[in-house]
Amino acid sequence: MTQKKELRIGLIGCGFMGRTHSNGYLRVKNFFPQLAYVPVLKAVCSRTESKARAFADQWGYESVETDWKALLAREDIDAVDICTPNDMHAEIAIAAAAAGKMILCEKPLARTLAESEGMVTAIEKAGVPNTVWYNYRRLPAVTLAKKIIDSGKLGRIFHYRANFLQDWTINANLPQGGEGLWRMDADVAGSGVLGDLLSHCIDTALWLNGSISTVTAMTETFVKERMHQLTGKVEKVNIDDACSFLCRFNNGSLGLFESTRYARGHKALYTFEINGEHASIRWDLHDLNRLEYFDNADESTLRGWRSIHVTDGDQPYMDKWWVPGLGIGYEHSFVHQVADFMLSLETGTPCSPTFKEALETQKVCQAVSDSANSGTWKNTDAA
């Protein structure tokens, strides 16, 4: 048996995303046994030692740290996985790059475009492997959509539309800030649905349909003041509860994006549809193993939307899982990203999206924010 190369992981942050990433590290060796690298869960870091130890016991990390700087100083850590709130991404990533560590960073890259640019500069100077966890790219149906578009089957693209809808903040008494609700605090999150939800939609759109050149946007904060959990004071809410924007892509197509946390009845509705000259495709996270496809070349009496069940062995990633007809879930997208990162270390090919590629999403987010504030069209610098 060929000796595996260990990739020793140091995880910073042990919340929801820390769980999804850890599951990916644990499962990848079972379902991608051909990979030369295997993750080793070396250390997990949280400011609360009891929380870190409980997480380490549950997921199998060998040790714990309560100071991320101490984790970066360890010689037995090869790769740092940043699963902290957004306000810590830039500082940790820049320090990790200086320490020569590989870096896997949760999305969005950072709170602001300026922070993101500093991260990209540090990464490029250090020359360390890196990736950003825009995991929806790795769902087989979404990857199949990419293959269909790249094949030219859709022809010229006319429209791209996407939405990401939730309803969990429809409560005027919900506080902002602190553990569990940091996404409601602009100082920590940077933005609301724009960075948290629309960044996923934007990343997928850039991957499937190419660069966005201009945007015009509007945002709304429905509850203007909330009690802050850390101060106990009623403070102004500075995140966006809802955001919609129109855009132009460099390929000439038009885009329509919407996200909100005020869509009653929706917990995590993420959909996209792409309309081309010859065909259209659409996808829904709630039915993530299916890709819908309309081909205008079909015989007129049989022409209509078809539902492709993406579970067969010749479809993306599915040869690693079960038999045809048996679906996989949200968590598998993280297994796939771990596998792709491990493979990138073998081949020397960057694992997309890299920090530099994720910077394009940040530029679009910045243009959307600037447009909403000014009421004017804004360029993204991608033209």
Side-chain angles (χ1 to χ4, degrees):
M1 178 182 292
T2 304
Q3 183 68 33
K4 297 285 187 178
K5 300 176 183 177
E6 292 187 347
L7 185 72
R8 299 168 296 181
I9 304 293
L11 180 76
I12 305 177
C14 49
F16 167 51
M17 298 319 301
R19 294 169 61 205
T20 63
H21 296 190
S22 297
N23 183 68
Y25 294 130
L26 290 172
R27 296 280 73 83
V28 73
K29 62 182 179 295
N30 302 123
F31 292 93
F32 292 80
Q34 78 282 6
L35 293 171
Y37 283 83
V38 60
V40 175
L41 303 186
K42 207 70 181 176
V44 60
C45 180
S46 173
R47 283 174 290 196
T48 306
E49 184 175 0
S50 59
K51 184 177 179 179
R53 291 200 179 281
F55 191 92
D57 290 343
Q58 180 179 357
W59 292 98
Y61 284 85
E62 295 178 12
S63 60
V64 303
E65 297 286 353
T66 56
D67 182 349
W68 62 263
K69 293 178 181 178
L71 186 142
L72 295 189
R74 287 176 52 161
E75 294 184 359
D76 62 345
I77 299 295
D78 302 311
V80 173
D81 190 346
I82 304 172
C83 291
T84 65
N86 302 343
D87 61 332
M88 299 179 68
H89 287 191
E91 183 181 9
I92 295 174
I94 291 170
K101 308 297 186 184
M102 306 178 201
I103 308 173
L104 303 93
C105 185
E106 244 310 308
K107 49 61 58 182
L109 193 54
R111 293 177 298 180
T112 66
L113 179 58
E115 286 183 346
S116 301
E117 289 173 335
M119 295 166 73
V120 171
T121 297
I123 281 285
E124 292 187 339
K125 180 180 178 181
V128 294
N130 60 94
T131 194
V132 180
W133 293 86
Y134 279 112
N135 60 293
Y136 292 110
R137 292 186 180 202
R138 263 78 184 191
L139 288 171
V142 178
T143 307
L144 180 60
K146 170 70 170 171
K147 291 180 177 294
I148 292 171
I149 294 166
D150 289 350
S151 75
K153 286 184 172 63
L154 270 60
R156 179 185 173 188
I157 305 297
F158 298 126
H159 295 284
Y160 190 109
R161 64 186 63 85
N163 60 22
F164 208 139
L165 312 180
Q166 297 181 340
D167 70 356
W168 65 275
T169 63
I170 309 178
N171 180 351
N173 296 319
L174 189 72
Q176 62 174 315
E179 187 174 353
L181 291 171
W182 61 265
R183 288 178 176 82
M184 303 285 289
D185 184 346
D187 289 341
V188 179
S191 64
V193 296
L194 176 56
D196 189 32
L197 304 179
L198 277 175
S199 65
H200 270 304
C201 301
I202 294 165
D203 172 77
T204 307
L206 297 176
W207 188 52
L208 296 178
N209 198 41
S211 294
I212 291 171
S213 57
T214 57
V215 304
T216 183
M218 61 180 178
T219 60
E220 184 57 60
T221 303
F222 295 111
V223 177
K224 309 298 185 184
E225 293 184 331
R226 293 182 184 272
M227 188 270 287
H228 199 290
Q229 286 199 108
L230 299 182
T231 66
K233 298 178 181 178
V234 175
E235 299 180 7
K236 182 180 178 181
V237 176
N238 293 309
I239 57 98
D240 46 294
D241 292 322
C243 178
S244 300
F245 72 91
L246 303 173
C247 69
R248 292 185 180 275
F249 288 84
N250 281 353
N251 64 7
S253 60
L254 305 182
L256 173 61
F257 293 76
E258 178 194 13
S259 186
T260 181
R261 293 180 181 142
Y262 275 70
R264 182 64 80 194
H266 293 296
K267 304 305 177 186
L269 178 70
Y270 173 23
T271 69
F272 64 75
E273 179 173 328
I274 308 170
N275 307 128
E277 180 183 5
H278 306 306
S280 293
I281 54 176
R282 63 189 179 197
W283 176 79
D284 182 343
L285 176 60
H286 287 175
D287 197 6
L288 57 81
N289 289 298
R290 291 190 180 274
L291 183 68
E292 294 187 88
Y293 181 75
F294 179 94
D295 192 338
N296 198 56
D298 288 344
E299 183 181 343
S300 61
T301 57
L302 300 176
R303 188 181 300 139
W305 284 93
R306 71 183 74 161
S307 178
I308 305 169
H309 196 210
V310 187
T311 61
D312 221 330
D314 57 354
Q315 292 165 324
Y317 297 108
M318 291 310 301
D319 62 317
K320 301 298 187 296
W321 296 102
W322 319 119
V323 297
L326 301 183
I328 61 173
Y330 165 82
E331 70 275 17
H332 296 83
S333 62
F334 296 94
V335 181
H336 297 160
Q337 183 139 0
V338 172
D340 289 345
F341 187 76
M342 299 298 163
L343 182 61
S344 75
L345 301 182
E346 291 182 45
T347 64
T349 303
C351 182
S352 186
T354 62
F355 278 31
K356 186 174 183 179
E357 290 167 330
L359 182 63
E360 187 173 356
T361 294
Q362 293 297 122
K363 289 180 177 179
V364 176
C365 287
Q366 185 66 58
V368 168
S369 178
D370 291 345
S371 173
N373 289 332
S374 66
T376 61
W377 282 87
K378 292 293 181 179
N379 294 326
T380 66
D381 298 326

